[in-house]
Amino acid sequence: MSFRTEVKRDLVRVARPDVAVGIDLGVKHLAVMADSMGEIRYEPNPKYLDGSLKLLRRHSRRVSRRQGPDRRTGRKPSKRWEKANAERNRVHHRVANQRSDALHQLTTRIRAEYGTVVVEAIVADRWYPSSKTCSNCGAVTAKLPLHVRVFDCDECRLVMDRDENAAHNLVALVAAATTAGAGGWRNPAAPAAGRSERPYSSRSPYALVM
C-alpha cells in the first residue's frame, strides 16, 4: 500500500537579494569575498590536514613496517599491513569529509545571504585576469606570479592583497553584465568561443563550486 501527499513549502529568500558578492578562492585564505556594498570578508583556511599530519605520520610508519604488496614478485600484503593501511586511509577519509563539510557550510551561508554570486572560472570568463587587473584604475599587470600575494599597481599605486583585489574585480562583473544587457559582458581579449560574463543567482543550489 502506498499514498501520496502534498506539502506546501515557503520560498527560501536570501537575506540581501540586492547585494552581489565576488568570491576569489585563495591559497592563504579559503576564500576572499567582496560585496557590492564595499564589505570585505576573509574565510580562513581550516587546515584540517595540518591538524592530522602527526596521526598520519604515525600510521604511515606503521604501514612501512608491515609486509606490503609487491607487483614485481606478486607478493600479497599481510593481514597486519592491510589493517594498518585501512587505519591510515580512515584518517585521509576523515580529512576529506571535513573539507567537504566546510565547503558545504560556506556555500550554504553564501546562498542564504547574497542575491548574486560571481566566482572565478565558474561564471567569469576563463581569460579574465581578475588577479592581475587593478580594481581601482583597471590597469592590467603583465606578470603576477602565484607566490606574490600583494597586488601593486604601476599606474595608480594601489597596494592590496591580491585575493581581495581579485574579489573586487569579480563583483564588478555584475555591474558590467547589467550594463551590457542580456548578452552579458565579454572580455575583449577573450576568444570568440569564450564564456560570457553573467551574474549567477544564489537561489540555485549550485551557487558555488570548488
Side-chain angles (χ1 to χ4, degrees):
M1 182 179 67
S2 63
F3 61 91
R4 183 170 54 183
T5 62
E6 292 185 2
V7 179
K8 183 179 179 180
R9 296 182 181 272
D10 296 330
L11 292 176
V12 178
R13 302 186 183 279
V14 297
R16 299 195 289 173
D18 298 328
V19 178
V21 63
I23 303 175
D24 184 76
L25 305 180
V27 177
K28 182 179 178 181
H29 300 87
L30 176 62
V32 179
M33 299 179 286
D35 63 33
S36 55
M37 303 300 292
E39 182 180 357
I40 299 292
R41 293 185 185 180
Y42 288 87
E43 186 70 23
N45 194 328
K47 298 181 180 180
Y48 292 119
L49 180 60
D50 292 348
S52 300
L53 282 179
K54 183 177 180 180
L55 184 60
L56 278 173
R57 284 193 290 264
R58 188 174 69 191
H59 283 298
S60 295
R61 286 195 298 267
R62 185 177 299 172
V63 171
S64 66
R65 291 194 293 265
R66 306 293 189 258
Q67 180 177 296
D70 191 329
R71 292 183 179 180
R72 294 173 299 179
T73 62
R75 184 182 65 191
K76 299 292 184 180
S78 67
K79 295 297 183 181
R80 297 179 68 196
W81 184 93
E82 290 180 339
K83 181 180 179 181
N85 189 54
E87 292 176 349
R88 180 177 60 177
N89 288 340
R90 277 195 289 270
V91 179
H92 282 293
H93 288 314
R94 181 172 180 270
V95 171
N97 290 335
Q98 288 176 319
R99 287 174 170 173
S100 179
D101 181 65
L103 291 177
H104 280 302
Q105 291 187 34
L106 174 61
T107 54
T108 299
R109 294 200 309 269
I110 293 171
R111 184 182 63 181
E113 182 172 358
Y114 300 103
T116 305
V117 178
V118 182
V119 186
E120 185 178 20
I122 301 302
V123 293
D125 193 292
R126 60 176 297 190
W127 303 105
Y128 179 62
S130 62
S131 296
K132 298 180 181 180
T133 303
C134 178
S135 59
N136 183 51
C137 69
V140 179
T141 300
K143 293 183 179 180
L144 188 64
L146 187 61
H147 71 273
V148 178
R149 305 311 304 166
V150 176
F151 179 85
D152 189 350
C153 181
D154 295 330
E155 299 294 332
C156 69
R157 309 312 305 174
L158 172 72
V159 178
M160 182 181 291
D161 177 85
R162 68 175 288 160
D163 294 334
E164 181 179 336
N165 178 67
H168 278 297
N169 287 325
L170 291 172
V171 74
L173 292 180
V174 178
T178 303
T179 304
W185 182 90
R186 183 180 295 276
N187 181 8
R195 293 182 180 179
S196 61
E197 301 294 345
R198 291 174 294 179
Y200 198 93
S201 172
S202 65
R203 284 184 288 273
S204 168
Y206 305 103
L208 176 61
V209 180
M210 290 189 280

